[in-house]
Each structure stands twice: as C-alpha cells, then as structure tokens.
C-alpha cells in the first residue's frame, strides 16, 4: 500500500470550528442557520466533530494494515454505546472550542447534545461492557476491532401505563445517523440451509474424504463502520456492525420471472435478520432468527478479517499470531465451527491442522451462573440452518470425548455431562461447552464468579484443563462514567491530583489524604448536591417527575430480574412506609430519602413485569401519603438507558447491589457508583466482593447470606414461609401487599408476587430481609453524620481505580490475548 496523502484536519480553533460547522450545515445538511432545526444543527455538529477525528482514523487503520501487529477482535452480539457526541468531543479535545463556537452562532451545545438518540444496541451490562472495552482498547492504542450487529431497532423503549410496562419500537435511525459509515462495496455473502455432500479428493493413497456444503439460501452483510476514538492519543479504532440485505442475484432472478411481490418478500426476509435486538437478558430464547443473527454476524466478521484485514496470500496456519477472537458470552460461539469450515473446506486444511489453528484463535468469556441462561440450540434447528457446522460440531465433540475417556477412563456419566451435545430434554448443542473446548482461555468476570465457574458450572472442564481457566474482573471506562458524566467531581479531582487519572485510574489513590481534609469534603458535598440538582431537572424535563432536592439519594438501576432482587428493595420501602404510617417510627427521626428505580423487564418475563407494577404502585401510594411523603419519595423514570445512567450515577448517595450471593456474575453498575462516590449497600456477590475489599468494610454496608450459606440452605430445603412466620416486620410488609394496600384494595393484583415469595422464593429474598433492614438502619445512622459519610464517599472514589476498564484490558492482554499496544 502506498502512502496516500490525507486531507488535513480542520483547524483546531473556534474560528476553524465555526467554518467547518457552517460548511456542514450548508453543504451537507442543505440548510442555513436561520432556518435550521435542532436536528439539522445536531447533525452538522456531529459531522464537524467527526472531521476532526477522521485523519486519526485513517492513520490508525493504515498503520494496522501496514504493520500487521497481533490484534484483538471483540465479537459481541451487543454494544450498548450510549451517545457519541460528548465522547467524540472529549477524545478530540474540542469541548471548549465547540461550546464557544456554537455560542458565537447563538447555539447552545447543551441543547444540541440532547438531540442525540443513543444507539441502544444492547440489553444491559453485557453490551455496555463491550462498549467500555473498545473505548479502553482505543485509549491504550491496542490494535483492536469490535464486530457486532447493526440492529435497525435497538432495545425497546419502555413506557408505563397505569404503572405497567409497555414496549415501543426504538426508532434510533430515524433522524439520521451521523456516526456511521456504510460500506456496501465491502459486502459479504453469508449462506444458510441446504445440505452437505461427501466427495473424495485425490486418488489412491492420497485420497481423502471431504465434505462440501451446498447452501439453500444466502444473504448479504453490509458493514457499517463506527469510530472508536482513543482519549487524546491520536488513535481511532473501528467498530464494524453488520446489516443484512437480500442478495442481488436473488432479486434479479425473481424480477426476471416478473414476480415483484416475491422479490420484495425475499428482501424483507433477508433484512429481518438484523431488524431487531432480542430484548432478553440472561435467558436465551430458542428463536431461529436469533441463531440466524448469531451466525450472520460472525460469518461476516471472520470473512472480513481474513479477506480484508490480512495481507493477500497470508498463510492461515499463522492466523493465531495475528488475531485473538474474544467471544463475549456464547452468542458468537458459532464462529468456532465457521473458522473450521473456512480452513478445511475453503482452504483445504487437514482437520488436525485446522483444529490446531482454531483452538489458538478463540477465547471465551462466560457471563452467567444461572443454569437456565446457558445457551443451547436444538440439533434439529442447527442442522437445518447450518448443516455443515453441525457436522463439524459432531466431529469436534467425538474427538473431545475421546480425550475425556483417555484422561478419566470410561466414566459414561462424566462423558454425558461434558458432551457438547445434550440428549435431554431434547438433543441440543451446548454452546458454553463448545466454547470451553475450543478456547485457549475461559474467563469469568469477577473473582467470585471465576471461582464458581471452576468449582461448579464448568467444574469437569476445570479438572481436565486447569490452566485454561482464568479471571478478568470487569471494569468501566472512566472517560464516559467519570470524566464526562461527572464534570464537577472531575474538576475537583483534577485540581487535587492533576488529570493523569483519566487514563491511569489507579492514581485516584492520591486522593486518600484529601478524605481527611474538611474543605475537600465540603467541596465534594457541593458537587454531589449540584449533581442531585441536575438529576432533579432531568427527571422534571424528561419524565415530568418532581422529586425533592437534598435528600439521601438511594438508587437501584439495572435490568429487572428476580435474582437482582428489586423485590427486596421495594419490601424495604414498604416496611419503612408501614412503620411510619403506623407510628412505630417517628417521622421526624427518619432520614429523608428519595428512592430511584430504573429497570426494563424482558417483554415475556411475566414476574419481572409484575414487580415493575408493584414498584410503581407502591410509589404512587407512598408519594401521596401526607405523613410518609415527608421523608420518603419513590421515583421510577421509564426507559432506563445509558444517557439516564450518566446523570443518575453521579447524583447517588447509596448504591443498591443486593443480588442473592452467587447469582450476579460481576455487575458493572456497582463500579460506576463507587467511582462516583456513592456508598454501596450490597451482598457478597460478583464484583461487590472486590469493591468491599478495596474500599474497606467501614465504607461499605455488607449484609445477607454468603454464597456457601445460600448453597447450604438450598441443599437442606429452603422454607421462605418460616421467615414470614417468625418476623413480624416482614409479615406486616407482605400482608400490606397481599391485602391490596397498593392496588386499591384488590387482593388479586399482586397475589402472584406474594405467593411466589412465600412459596418458592428462589432467590431468598425473605431469608435476607432482616439482614437488609439492619444494614439500612446502619446506612441511616451513618448518613446523619455528613462528615463521616463524605469521608467514606471520597475513599470510595480514591480506592476504586481498579475498576477502570483500562485495567480489565491490561489483564486480558497479559492473561489471554498476549497482544500489545502499538507504538508510534
Ligand atoms: C452499567 C449499565 C448496566 C449494568 O448494570 P448492572 O447493575 O451491572 O446490572 C445496565 N444498563 C445500563 C444502561 C448501564 O449503563
């Protein structure tokens, strides 16, 4: 490749910015300032900012191609990016210039920011993690590419009607998408269906049996590139998301037969593949379309990497020297048989050679501990959609099970447990087993989670290959979740210790002495208070919700799932309400709190939706009660997303991380809150364990069963009703719900929630209730002492640098990828 001269970046000045912005508004948007809508000006602004990053992007891409360093491909069905404008302004060091330039034209940057619709291409934690990781890789100058799906509709928009969740489509592309670059000229053909044929290659001694896939139908994948700008380091990596189109041959053929309707139907069929994000979170749905999505995006991505990013004639025997494909959960695992197919069928590799390469190219991150969340695909479906891949999976399994028998002898029970193919309740491919067999490394996402993977979920595999298993504790990007989300705290920290922390978050340690400085604490409280004010304004503007300012802000935001135990939180609220209303608690002695919930439920998850309704109904009653509302306020803004998180997290005093121990793999919400100076009330679960170890027991409110305790209770038979019978406070709270206090006297409305808690209570809400209430009493007592509380809050910030996703990336690089940042 020769050096083509790059167009130079626009001038890095207010004047340069104004010129570029007006040019965009006039030439691209086709309008003049006086008549431009907010969306016009937003689009022109986005493109202007983009231009400042363009040269760095082309340079980074060229350097990767020319130097061919070992790279990382992060394969993820979800990237929950959040808004792009602010992050791009920050990366390009344009925040002040843009604000001034716009002001000189009579425009307000803050208003334009709000015109951006966030790309919600993920459900929650898993997709947000992927977004944090690619941000860190770019900031650390690591050659990396993200591969995923460009859903036309991202995660549904949540609304409440009479307190119940309704889902509306997320039209995120409707107003234009200035951050993406379509490249239809790099389209990739993806095949599905059909059958396989055996044939013999060569003759006599050299004859080999081979298999060939004769597909039934094909679709095209069109790549859309997104910039992933590093923080002021001159690097811009790429996120490549795939969109499905009908093949040209397909519609041509049908047009020739004159069947227009059929041609359109075929096109719709193809384009359905990337139409919508599945709104399930931590439970797989056995949907054919979902398997199509998974294969579609990994087939596109592997082809793209091999054909576009490697030099021509590259020897694929050395593929592992150039790439590690990181599998973000099991959604991309079909990439394993796909690479085998490419090497064996397309490139003529012998099976063993191909396997040797394949098993060095993949690493697998497991994200769950819930057995029902481990993805399986019915053999019938997989064989129909991907017949050649099923053959390959069977052969991988045969050879793997031979290895198991060689190592452990003929223990058929063990063989059945470990097999990639499950026989019951129907014959199915266990994607986690396939991933574990193929991967060089398998990692959990927090110390406790990785331990439980080794000891329980994948224990047989850990016995066979102890060295394969490792841990990388999750992290979050300090650029988005501190520097951008919390400008007040960022300025305060930078004034105290300089701005090196933005890319070296361990430096927050240098704040520790400031925790003992009363003036610093006062200013910290001022920042917190200003952040609460911002939140109050957002809730008013966005949701028409009025909440008091300057109360303790107690926040539980995350997907609605029974294991996360939003019910435990709402039982605490109900109990406070009950004790205030009954006079047991003197209202003048209660610390005023605002409790904020944010949570979407999967549309088919009935119990989760009931819990949402319960929270909303309790909120209505509490907020309307003349006495209780003096100290308690419940707010549940609809449609919790990254944008809301960015205002909510910096305002929080108390972070609710209350899952049953042993159920939350890591959590990343917990890290965002600690880094923004909220104290955590939490169980010994996921990364809470590490947060508590780092910030110290005195600055964390621990409660509840430990994982071994919960496991022991489950073993001997858990009886939730015993807790109900023995604990009058709990009984009164549950009875209030049962007798219809929050449903206008109708006892039937929340009966399913109550009887579930009294009957099964799979996540032991009742067992942890009293311990939780006691911890909340400690919270309340501590909060009365603002000096002690803010000292602990500052220490939470100072000691949470470990939870930067930059550190996670360093751990992946050292333990799994063995790749390095690319020097200049
Ligand atoms: C961080 C984040 C999550 C993950 O929250 P957890 O508490 O770890 O489950 C989910 N959704 C959004 C929008 C987030 O920003």
């Amino acid at each position: 490749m020769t050096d083509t001269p790059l167009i130079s970046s626009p001038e890095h000045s207010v004047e340069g910015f104004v010129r570029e912005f007006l040019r965009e508004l006039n030439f691209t948007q086709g309008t003049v300032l006086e008549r431009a809508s907010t969306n016009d000006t937003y689009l022109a602004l986005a493109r202007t900012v983009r231009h400042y990053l363009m040269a760095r992007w082309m340079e980074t891409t060229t350097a990767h191609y020319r130097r061919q360093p070992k790279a990382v491909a992060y394969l993820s069905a979800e990237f929950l990016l959040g808004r792009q404008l602010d992050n791009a302004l920050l990366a390009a060091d344009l925040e002040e210039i843009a604000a001034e330039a716009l002001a000189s034209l009579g425009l307000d940057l803050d208003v334009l920011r709000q015109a951006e619709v966030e790309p919600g291409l993920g459900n929650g934690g898993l997709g947000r993690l992927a977004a944090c990781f690619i941000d860190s890789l770019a900031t650390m100058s690591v050659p990396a590419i993200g591969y995923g799906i460009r859903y036309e509709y991202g995660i549904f928009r949540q609304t409440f009607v009479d307190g119940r969740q309704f889902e509306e489509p997320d039209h995120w592309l409707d107003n234009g998408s200035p951050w993406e670059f379509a490249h239809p000229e790099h389209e990739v053909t993806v095949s599905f269906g059909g059958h396989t044929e055996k044939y013999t290659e060569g003759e006599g001694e050299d004859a080999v049996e081979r298999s060939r896939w004769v597909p039934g139908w094909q679709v095209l994948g069109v790549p859309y590139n997104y910039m992933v700008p590093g923080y002021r380091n001159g690097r811009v990596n790429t996120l490549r998301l795939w969109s499905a189109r009908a093949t040209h041959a397909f519609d041509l053929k049908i047009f020739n037969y004159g069947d227009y309707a059929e041609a359109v139907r075929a096109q719709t069929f193809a384009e359905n593949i990337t139409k919508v994000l599945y709104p399930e979170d931590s439970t797989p749905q056995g949907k054919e379309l979902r398997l199509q999505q998974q294969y579609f995006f990994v087939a596109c991505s592997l082809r793209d990497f091999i054909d576009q990013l490697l030099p021509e004639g590259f020897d694929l025997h050395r593929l592992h020297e150039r790439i590690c494909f990181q599998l973000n959960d099991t959604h991309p695992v079909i990439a394993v048989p796909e690479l085998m197919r490419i090497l064996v069928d397309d490139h003529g590799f012998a099976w063993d050679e191909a396997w040797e390469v394949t098993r060095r190219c993949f690493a697998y991150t497991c994200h769950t501990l819930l057995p029902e969340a481990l993805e399986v695909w019915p053999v019938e479906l997989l064989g129909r959609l991907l017949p050649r891949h099923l053959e390959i999976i069977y052969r991988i399994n045969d050879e793997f099970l031979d290895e198991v028998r060689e190592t452990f002898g003929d223990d058929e029970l063990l063989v059945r447990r470990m097999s990639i193919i499950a026989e019951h309740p129907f014959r199915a491919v266990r994607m986690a087993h396939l991933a574990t067999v193929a991967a060089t490394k398998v990692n959990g996402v927090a110390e406790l989670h990785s331990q439980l993977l080794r000891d329980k979920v994948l224990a047989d595999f850990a016995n066979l290959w102890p060295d394969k298993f490792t841990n990388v504790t999750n992290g979050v990007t300090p650029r988005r979740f501190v520097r951008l989300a919390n400008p007040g705290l960022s300025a305060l920290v930078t004034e105290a210790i300089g701005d090196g922390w933005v890319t070296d978050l361990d430096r927050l340690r240098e704040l520790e002495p400031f925790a003992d400085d009363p003036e610093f604490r006062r200013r910290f409280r001022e920042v917190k208070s200003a952040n609460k004010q911002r939140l109050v304004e957002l809730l008013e503007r966005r949701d028409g919700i009025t909440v008091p300012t300057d109360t303790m802000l107690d926040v539980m935001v995350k997907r609605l799932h029974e294991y996360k135990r939003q019910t435990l939180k709402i039982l605490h609220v109900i109990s406070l309400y009950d004790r205030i209303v009954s006079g047991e608690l003197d209202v003048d002695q209660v610390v005023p709190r605002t409790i904020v919930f944010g949570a979407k439920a999967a549309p088919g998850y009935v119990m989760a939706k009931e819990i949402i309704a319960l929270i909303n109904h309790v909120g209505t009653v509490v907020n309307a009660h003349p006495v209780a509302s003096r100290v308690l306020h419940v707010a549940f803004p609809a449609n919790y997303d990254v944008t809301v998180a960015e205002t909510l997290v910096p305002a929080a005093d108390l972070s609710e991380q209350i899952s049953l121990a042993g159920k939350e793999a890591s959590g990343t919400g917990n890290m965002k809150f600690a880094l923004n100076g909220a104290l955590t009330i939490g169980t010994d679960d996921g990364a809470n364990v590490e947060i508590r170890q780092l910030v110290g027991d005195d600055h964390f409110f621990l409660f509840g069963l430990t994982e071994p305790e919960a496991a022991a209770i489950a073993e001997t038979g858990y009886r939730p009703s015993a807790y109900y019978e023995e604990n009058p406070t709990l009984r009164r709270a549950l009875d209030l719900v049962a007798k219809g206090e929050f449903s206008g006297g109708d006892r039937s409305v929340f009966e399913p929630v109550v009887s579930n808690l009294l009957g099964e209570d799979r996540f032991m809400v009742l067992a942890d209730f009293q311990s939780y209430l006691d911890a909340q009493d400690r919270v309340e007592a501590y909060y009365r002492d603002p000096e002690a509380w803010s000292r602990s809050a500052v220490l939470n910030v100072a000691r949470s640098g470990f939870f930067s996703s930059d550190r996670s990336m360093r751990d992946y690089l050292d333990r799994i990828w063995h790749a390095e940042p690319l020097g200049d």
Side-chain angles (χ1 to χ4, degrees):
M1 205 154 118
T2 54
D3 267 333
T4 50
L6 282 171
I7 215 111
S8 56
S9 296
E11 190 184 296
H12 199 89
S13 67
V14 173
E15 300 72 43
F17 197 95
V18 167
R19 219 176 302 126
E20 193 69 13
F21 171 76
L22 289 176
R23 210 171 65 99
E24 276 303 315
L25 195 65
N26 300 157
F27 289 10
T28 310
Q29 209 48 33
T31 187
V32 292
L33 195 53
E34 292 69 27
R35 270 189 297 284
S37 68
T38 303
N39 194 51
D40 285 327
T41 42
Y42 162 70
L43 290 175
L45 171 61
R47 291 202 191 90
T48 302
V49 176
R50 207 172 83 169
H51 290 180
Y52 283 85
L53 292 166
M54 198 56 103
R56 302 180 198 185
W57 196 18
M58 302 296 102
E59 279 159 16
T60 307
T61 309
T62 309
H64 290 173
Y65 189 82
R66 188 166 319 115
R67 292 164 64 179
Q68 294 287 316
K70 178 154 189 194
V72 178
Y74 201 78
L75 297 180
S76 179
E78 303 186 7
F79 284 91
L80 188 53
L81 296 170
R83 286 179 177 165
Q84 297 299 290
L85 176 63
D86 270 341
N87 190 53
L89 283 169
L90 177 70
D93 195 8
L94 281 172
E95 293 170 295
E96 285 171 19
I97 286 176
E100 248 186 79
L102 293 167
S104 77
L105 298 170
L107 296 167
D108 184 346
L109 177 56
D110 274 334
V111 172
L112 297 188
R113 274 192 180 112
Q114 289 163 29
E116 179 172 1
V117 181
E118 73 167 73
L121 308 183
N123 272 290
L126 173 140
R128 185 53 238 175
L129 185 77
C132 284
F133 282 3
I134 58 177
D135 175 89
S136 285
L137 288 168
T139 294
M140 295 161 71
S141 299
V142 176
I145 180 164
Y147 280 120
I149 301 174
R150 179 182 177 274
Y151 302 101
E152 200 176 321
Y153 297 93
I155 185 70
F156 65 84
R157 293 192 68 77
Q158 178 192 53
T159 60
F160 296 137
V161 177
D162 190 24
R164 297 192 160 265
Q165 170 175 300
F166 279 75
E167 300 95 30
E168 292 173 358
D170 160 49
H171 296 275
W172 74 284
L173 291 166
D174 276 9
N175 294 341
S177 44
W179 301 104
E180 66 181 16
F181 295 78
H183 283 283
E185 77 283 5
H186 285 153
E187 69 188 19
V188 173
T189 304
V190 180
S191 302
F192 289 96
H195 61 276
T196 61
E197 290 172 354
K198 300 266 177 271
Y199 68 101
T200 311
E201 195 183 71
E203 281 173 23
E205 293 264 300
D206 300 330
V208 268
E209 282 291 310
R210 286 191 169 273
S211 193
R212 136 182 347 119
W213 181 16
V214 185
W217 51 283
Q218 296 182 318
V219 298
L220 298 178
V222 175
Y224 285 71
N225 291 340
Y226 290 72
M227 295 178 173
V228 185
Y231 175 80
R232 300 182 187 175
N233 64 342
R235 299 295 167 90
V236 178
N237 280 350
T238 300
L239 168 64
R240 188 158 295 156
L241 302 181
W242 297 95
S243 180
R245 298 273 183 286
T247 57
H248 313 303
F250 205 0
D251 31 73
L252 245 183
K253 194 165 78 189
I254 294 163
F255 268 108
N256 287 343
Y257 289 112
D259 192 345
Y260 182 74
E262 177 57 22
V264 173
R265 197 201 61 78
Q267 187 177 352
T268 310
F269 178 76
E271 291 176 4
N272 264 345
I273 292 180
T274 52
K275 187 67 79 183
V276 59
L277 168 74
Y278 274 82
E280 277 68 36
D281 190 55
S282 47
T283 47
Q285 242 212 359
K287 276 284 167 61
E288 181 162 347
L289 195 56
R290 193 164 162 118
L291 181 57
Q292 288 176 12
Q293 288 184 337
Q294 295 183 355
Y295 178 64
F296 169 77
F297 102 88
V298 301
C300 289
S301 305
L302 292 191
R303 270 287 301 278
D304 181 69
F305 186 80
I306 291 171
D307 293 352
Q308 298 294 325
L309 302 185
L310 292 176
E312 231 176 270
F314 181 87
D315 177 8
L316 290 175
H317 291 92
R318 294 173 40 222
L319 186 60
H320 56 279
E321 294 171 16
R322 272 287 284 118
I323 194 70
C324 183
F325 292 107
Q326 186 67 38
L327 306 167
N328 193 25
D329 214 292
T330 52
H331 317 138
V333 170
I334 197 71
V336 169
E338 172 64 4
L339 183 59
M340 286 299 288
R341 189 196 63 77
I342 292 172
L343 296 176
V344 173
D345 296 2
D346 296 352
H347 291 268
F349 277 45
W351 176 273
D352 291 345
E353 268 181 328
W355 183 242
E356 197 54 34
V357 173
T358 297
R359 60 179 196 77
R360 296 167 82 177
C361 282
F362 289 100
Y364 163 52
T365 305
C366 179
H367 280 275
T368 189
L369 286 163
L370 303 176
E372 72 269 29
L374 292 171
E375 205 168 34
V376 297
W377 290 110
V379 159
E380 179 279 318
L381 169 61
L382 211 144
R384 181 156 46 80
L385 214 54
L386 300 167
R388 177 63 182 134
H389 296 77
L390 183 60
E391 271 180 14
I392 291 171
I393 291 168
Y394 274 130
R395 177 145 178 204
I396 292 173
N397 195 41
D398 285 346
E399 298 193 353
F400 161 62
L401 294 181
D402 285 346
E403 185 180 344
V404 171
R405 291 191 182 95
E406 256 167 50
T407 313
F408 297 112
D410 275 342
D411 178 349
E412 277 312 301
L413 267 177
L414 177 76
V415 167
R416 252 183 276 169
R417 269 206 319 266
M418 294 183 79
S419 175
I420 295 170
I421 308 293
E423 299 295 338
H424 298 287
F426 47 85
R427 192 169 251 234
V429 180
R430 294 163 165 155
M431 300 309 270
H433 290 202
L434 177 57
T436 303
V437 170
T440 50
K441 292 281 176 181
V442 176
N443 76 287
V445 287
E447 289 290 350
L448 175 65
H449 175 236
S450 296
Q451 193 60 47
L452 292 169
L453 281 185
R454 276 187 293 248
D455 294 350
K456 294 190 170 178
V457 184
L458 297 172
D460 296 325
F461 294 88
N463 277 335
L464 182 59
W465 299 306
D467 295 339
K468 203 182 258 214
F469 288 78
T470 186
N471 172 251
V472 178
T473 299
N474 282 166
V476 299
T477 170
R479 270 72 64 189
R480 181 174 293 267
F481 287 108
V482 184
R483 174 64 180 74
L484 287 170
N486 202 339
L489 181 63
S490 297
L492 186 61
V493 171
T494 295
E495 192 186 311
I497 63 169
D499 66 0
W501 60 273
V502 178
T503 51
D504 182 4
L505 208 59
D506 286 330
R507 304 253 313 252
L508 289 178
R509 281 269 171 202
E510 296 163 27
L511 278 181
E512 279 207 26
F514 291 89
D516 292 317
D517 173 352
E519 174 58 14
F520 189 87
R521 291 199 303 263
R522 189 190 60 73
R523 293 182 63 194
F524 177 88
R525 290 193 299 271
E526 247 173 42
V527 166
K528 195 51 96 182
S529 175
N531 290 343
K532 287 182 193 178
Q533 188 58 41
R534 273 201 308 164
L535 174 67
V536 166
E537 286 158 18
L538 176 79
L539 293 181
E540 184 78 57
R541 183 175 72 233
R542 177 186 184 272
D543 303 278
I545 297 176
T546 308
V547 294
T549 46
D550 275 327
T551 60
M552 182 207 291
L553 196 73
D554 176 352
V555 183
M556 182 162 191
V557 286
K558 48 185 75 253
R559 281 298 286 252
L560 201 307
H561 205 293
E562 287 166 281
Y563 83 80
K564 291 179 182 278
R565 301 202 296 190
Q566 279 92 352
T567 38
L568 183 55
K569 177 77 230 157
I570 200 66
L571 279 176
H572 168 235
V573 175
I574 293 168
S575 182
L576 278 175
Y577 164 81
D578 171 42
R579 285 177 290 154
I580 290 166
V581 169
S582 68
E584 184 183 320
L585 285 178
D586 177 355
V587 69
D588 296 316
Q589 300 298 311
V590 176
V591 171
R593 292 196 195 220
T594 301
I595 297 126
V596 181
F597 288 90
K600 292 181 185 178
Y605 189 172
V606 176
M607 183 55 71
K609 291 177 126 176
E610 291 304 317
I611 294 166
I612 285 180
L614 176 61
I615 295 169
N616 275 320
H617 282 74
V618 169
T620 304
V621 171
V622 169
N623 297 347
H625 193 278
V627 182
S629 66
R630 283 168 51 198
V631 288
L632 283 185
H633 196 96
V634 180
F636 193 165
N639 203 48
Y640 174 61
D641 60 9
V642 178
T643 305
V644 175
E646 287 166 8
T647 308
L648 200 40
V649 169
D653 293 305
L654 187 65
S655 161
E656 299 275 351
Q657 308 299 337
I658 60 177
S659 52
L660 173 62
K663 301 298 174 189
E664 183 75 90
S666 161
T668 50
N670 48 3
M671 302 168 184
K672 297 170 198 165
F673 282 103
L675 276 168
N676 281 279
L679 275 60
T680 305
I681 183 165
T683 46
D684 226 8
D685 200 16
N688 294 355
V689 176
E690 288 153 81
I691 293 176
R692 183 170 61 84
Q693 282 165 357
L694 281 162
V695 306
D697 284 306
D698 294 345
H699 315 287
F700 184 110
F701 301 97
L702 175 69
F703 75 95
L705 298 167
T706 62
E707 190 278 330
E709 287 167 352
I713 293 177
E715 192 71 28
T716 54
Y718 172 53
R719 271 206 336 120
S721 56
Y723 295 89
Y724 171 83
E725 280 146 22
E726 283 159 20
N727 185 336
T729 315
L730 171 60
R731 193 163 63 234
R732 274 166 43 194
L734 273 173
D735 285 351
L736 271 187
V737 180
K739 78 175 177 51
E741 174 88 1
F742 309 106
S743 42
D746 187 339
R747 292 164 164 269
S748 68
V749 178
F750 295 118
E751 194 278 330
V753 179
V754 174
S755 62
N756 181 268
L757 287 176
L758 288 173
E760 189 190 13
D761 188 19
R762 197 180 146 205
F763 300 103
M764 301 185 177
V765 171
L766 302 199
D768 273 347
F769 176 81
Q770 191 56 51
S771 170
Y772 182 54
L773 250 58
D774 295 343
Q776 287 287 5
D777 287 345
R778 299 201 300 277
V779 167
E780 186 156 332
Y782 202 53
Y783 194 79
R784 286 176 207 283
D785 181 351
E787 295 298 341
W789 185 280
S790 51
R791 179 170 178 275
S792 288
V794 172
L795 288 175
N796 264 266
V797 178
R799 295 172 179 176
S800 294
F802 177 78
F803 300 105
S804 169
S805 45
D806 301 347
R807 188 272 314 148
S808 303
M809 292 299 87
R810 233 174 298 118
D811 288 349
Y812 274 94
L813 288 167
D814 293 346
R815 296 172 194 170
I816 300 174
W817 298 331
H818 309 295
E820 282 166 18
L822 190 66
D824 290 320

